[in-house]
Amino acid sequence: SIMHFTKQVPRCLTNQKEKRWDPFVMDVVAGKTVGFVGYGHIAQQSAVLCKALGMRIIACRRGSGGDDVVVPAQTHAPADRLKLFAEADYV
């Protein structure tokens, strides 16, 4: 969904349907921060893709991890999840 909204897919589809050329500047995700609430298998596999796009990874989790596929740059406890929401560009 990050790419869907960053690349403005609904806008592009509407323009295509209406046969309209509407140039616009798309945002870049490299350097942005993505936050995961819960950092289980699915979140870790998503983090692999985000890391490949040059994104910074942060997570909210109960445990300390250990054998993470991608180690988050920062980890928040569930009680501190509002810090994650404030810091992340995407959740």
Side-chain angles (χ1 to χ4, degrees):
S1 67
I2 291 171
M3 297 305 289
H4 177 83
F5 292 108
T6 300
K7 300 302 179 188
Q8 300 182 38
V9 172
R11 178 181 183 172
C12 292
L13 291 174
T14 300
N15 289 342
Q16 182 181 31
K17 182 180 175 182
E18 295 174 1
K19 297 180 181 181
R20 177 179 48 182
W21 176 251
D22 179 23
F24 59 93
V25 177
M26 290 186 242
D27 200 10
V28 177
V29 296
K32 301 281 179 142
T33 300
V34 62
F36 292 96
V37 179
Y39 202 62
H41 181 73
I42 294 171
Q44 289 186 41
Q45 293 305 312
S46 298
V48 169
L49 300 174
C50 292
K51 190 75 168 177
L53 292 170
M55 300 181 81
R56 181 172 170 263
I57 311 299
I58 61 174
C60 176
R61 65 188 325 178
R62 286 179 283 183
S64 61
D67 58 344
D68 295 336
V69 177
V70 174
V71 177
Q74 190 170 11
T75 304
H76 296 283
D80 296 327
R81 66 187 174 277
L82 295 180
K83 291 179 185 176
L84 178 135
F85 296 150
E87 188 177 341
D89 297 300
Y90 302 97
V91 179

